[in-house]
Short mmCIF file of all heavy atoms in Angstrom, two decimals:
data_model
loop_
_atom_site.label_atom_id
_atom_site.label_comp_id
_atom_site.label_asym_id
_atom_site.label_seq_id
_atom_site.Cartn_x
_atom_site.Cartn_y
_atom_site.Cartn_z
N THR A 162 -61.03 223.79 112.65
CA THR A 162 -61.94 224.47 113.59
C THR A 162 -61.17 224.91 114.86
O THR A 162 -60.39 224.09 115.43
CB THR A 162 -63.07 223.54 113.92
OG1 THR A 162 -63.82 223.19 112.77
CG2 THR A 162 -64.08 224.26 114.91
N HIS A 163 -61.41 226.12 115.28
CA HIS A 163 -60.75 226.59 116.47
C HIS A 163 -61.84 226.86 117.57
O HIS A 163 -62.59 227.83 117.50
CB HIS A 163 -59.95 227.86 116.23
CG HIS A 163 -58.94 227.70 115.17
ND1 HIS A 163 -57.69 227.11 115.37
CD2 HIS A 163 -58.93 228.08 113.88
CE1 HIS A 163 -56.98 227.06 114.30
NE2 HIS A 163 -57.72 227.65 113.34
N ASN A 164 -62.00 225.91 118.52
CA ASN A 164 -62.99 226.04 119.54
C ASN A 164 -62.62 227.29 120.45
O ASN A 164 -61.46 227.72 120.50
CB ASN A 164 -63.01 224.79 120.36
CG ASN A 164 -63.62 223.61 119.61
OD1 ASN A 164 -63.99 223.80 118.42
ND2 ASN A 164 -63.78 222.47 120.23
N PRO A 165 -63.55 227.78 121.24
CA PRO A 165 -63.29 228.88 122.14
C PRO A 165 -62.19 228.54 123.11
O PRO A 165 -61.98 227.42 123.45
CB PRO A 165 -64.62 229.15 122.83
CG PRO A 165 -65.68 228.62 121.89
CD PRO A 165 -64.99 227.44 121.18
N ASP A 166 -61.53 229.64 123.63
CA ASP A 166 -60.49 229.37 124.65
C ASP A 166 -61.07 228.82 125.89
O ASP A 166 -62.32 228.98 126.21
CB ASP A 166 -59.81 230.70 124.96
CG ASP A 166 -58.89 231.18 123.82
OD1 ASP A 166 -58.57 230.38 122.98
OD2 ASP A 166 -58.62 232.45 123.84
N ARG A 167 -60.21 228.10 126.63
CA ARG A 167 -60.65 227.55 127.95
C ARG A 167 -60.31 228.57 129.00
O ARG A 167 -59.25 229.22 128.98
CB ARG A 167 -59.91 226.27 128.23
CG ARG A 167 -60.32 225.64 129.57
CD ARG A 167 -59.67 224.26 129.76
NE ARG A 167 -60.14 223.30 128.81
CZ ARG A 167 -61.27 222.56 129.04
NH1 ARG A 167 -61.95 222.72 130.16
NH2 ARG A 167 -61.69 221.69 128.08
N THR A 168 -61.15 228.71 130.01
CA THR A 168 -60.84 229.50 131.18
C THR A 168 -59.71 228.95 131.91
O THR A 168 -59.63 227.75 132.18
CB THR A 168 -62.10 229.60 132.09
OG1 THR A 168 -63.18 230.17 131.39
CG2 THR A 168 -61.80 230.51 133.27
N VAL A 169 -58.74 229.79 132.28
CA VAL A 169 -57.57 229.33 132.99
C VAL A 169 -57.94 228.82 134.36
O VAL A 169 -58.63 229.43 135.12
CB VAL A 169 -56.49 230.43 133.08
CG1 VAL A 169 -55.29 230.00 133.91
CG2 VAL A 169 -56.05 230.89 131.67
N GLU A 170 -57.40 227.61 134.68
CA GLU A 170 -57.63 226.98 135.99
C GLU A 170 -56.61 227.53 137.01
O GLU A 170 -55.38 227.53 136.72
CB GLU A 170 -57.53 225.49 135.85
CG GLU A 170 -58.02 224.69 137.08
CD GLU A 170 -59.52 224.67 137.17
OE1 GLU A 170 -60.22 224.96 136.15
OE2 GLU A 170 -59.99 224.40 138.30
N PRO A 171 -57.00 227.94 138.16
CA PRO A 171 -56.02 228.30 139.16
C PRO A 171 -55.08 227.12 139.49
O PRO A 171 -55.54 225.97 139.59
CB PRO A 171 -56.89 228.65 140.41
CG PRO A 171 -58.17 229.03 139.83
CD PRO A 171 -58.38 228.15 138.61
N LEU A 172 -53.78 227.35 139.60
CA LEU A 172 -52.89 226.33 139.86
C LEU A 172 -53.16 225.55 141.17
O LEU A 172 -52.97 224.37 141.28
CB LEU A 172 -51.39 226.87 139.94
CG LEU A 172 -50.77 227.43 138.64
CD1 LEU A 172 -49.34 227.69 138.94
CD2 LEU A 172 -50.99 226.45 137.50
N GLU A 173 -53.75 226.27 142.03
CA GLU A 173 -54.08 225.67 143.36
C GLU A 173 -55.11 224.57 143.26
O GLU A 173 -55.16 223.74 144.14
CB GLU A 173 -54.61 226.84 144.32
CG GLU A 173 -54.58 226.41 145.81
CD GLU A 173 -53.13 226.33 146.36
OE1 GLU A 173 -52.22 226.90 145.82
OE2 GLU A 173 -53.01 225.68 147.43
N ASN A 174 -55.90 224.59 142.13
CA ASN A 174 -56.93 223.62 141.95
C ASN A 174 -56.40 222.33 141.28
O ASN A 174 -57.13 221.35 141.14
CB ASN A 174 -58.07 224.15 141.15
CG ASN A 174 -58.81 225.24 141.86
OD1 ASN A 174 -58.63 225.46 143.05
ND2 ASN A 174 -59.69 226.02 141.17
N LEU A 175 -55.17 222.36 140.82
CA LEU A 175 -54.60 221.28 140.03
C LEU A 175 -53.73 220.39 140.97
O LEU A 175 -53.14 220.85 141.92
CB LEU A 175 -53.72 221.74 138.87
CG LEU A 175 -54.50 222.56 137.81
CD1 LEU A 175 -53.54 223.15 136.76
CD2 LEU A 175 -55.56 221.67 137.13
N PRO A 176 -53.70 219.10 140.65
CA PRO A 176 -52.87 218.17 141.52
C PRO A 176 -51.39 218.41 141.28
O PRO A 176 -50.95 218.98 140.30
CB PRO A 176 -53.27 216.79 140.98
CG PRO A 176 -53.66 217.00 139.55
CD PRO A 176 -54.31 218.35 139.52
N ILE A 177 -50.65 217.92 142.26
CA ILE A 177 -49.15 218.02 142.11
C ILE A 177 -48.71 217.12 140.92
O ILE A 177 -49.37 216.12 140.62
CB ILE A 177 -48.46 217.50 143.39
CG1 ILE A 177 -46.97 217.62 143.29
CG2 ILE A 177 -48.84 216.02 143.70
CD1 ILE A 177 -46.14 217.32 144.58
N ALA A 178 -47.74 217.62 140.18
CA ALA A 178 -47.26 216.90 139.05
C ALA A 178 -46.84 215.50 139.43
O ALA A 178 -46.40 215.23 140.52
CB ALA A 178 -46.05 217.67 138.38
N ALA A 179 -46.89 214.61 138.45
CA ALA A 179 -46.58 213.18 138.68
C ALA A 179 -45.07 212.88 138.82
O ALA A 179 -44.52 212.09 138.01
CB ALA A 179 -47.22 212.32 137.62
N PHE A 180 -44.50 213.43 139.83
CA PHE A 180 -43.03 213.26 140.05
C PHE A 180 -42.71 211.78 140.34
O PHE A 180 -41.53 211.37 140.13
CB PHE A 180 -42.52 214.16 141.17
CG PHE A 180 -42.58 215.64 140.85
CD1 PHE A 180 -43.52 216.46 141.47
CD2 PHE A 180 -41.75 216.16 139.89
CE1 PHE A 180 -43.57 217.77 141.13
CE2 PHE A 180 -41.74 217.53 139.56
CZ PHE A 180 -42.76 218.30 140.20
N ASP A 181 -43.66 211.01 140.78
CA ASP A 181 -43.41 209.66 141.08
C ASP A 181 -43.13 208.77 139.86
O ASP A 181 -42.64 207.65 139.96
CB ASP A 181 -44.59 208.97 141.85
CG ASP A 181 -45.88 209.08 141.09
OD1 ASP A 181 -46.36 210.22 140.90
OD2 ASP A 181 -46.40 208.06 140.68
#
Side-chain angles (χ1 to χ4, degrees):
T162 301
H163 302 283
N164 291 0
D166 290 342
R167 178 176 294 273
T168 302
V169 175
E170 191 74 19
L172 293 188
E173 198 70 22
N174 295 347
L175 297 173
I177 184 173
F180 293 108
D181 58 294

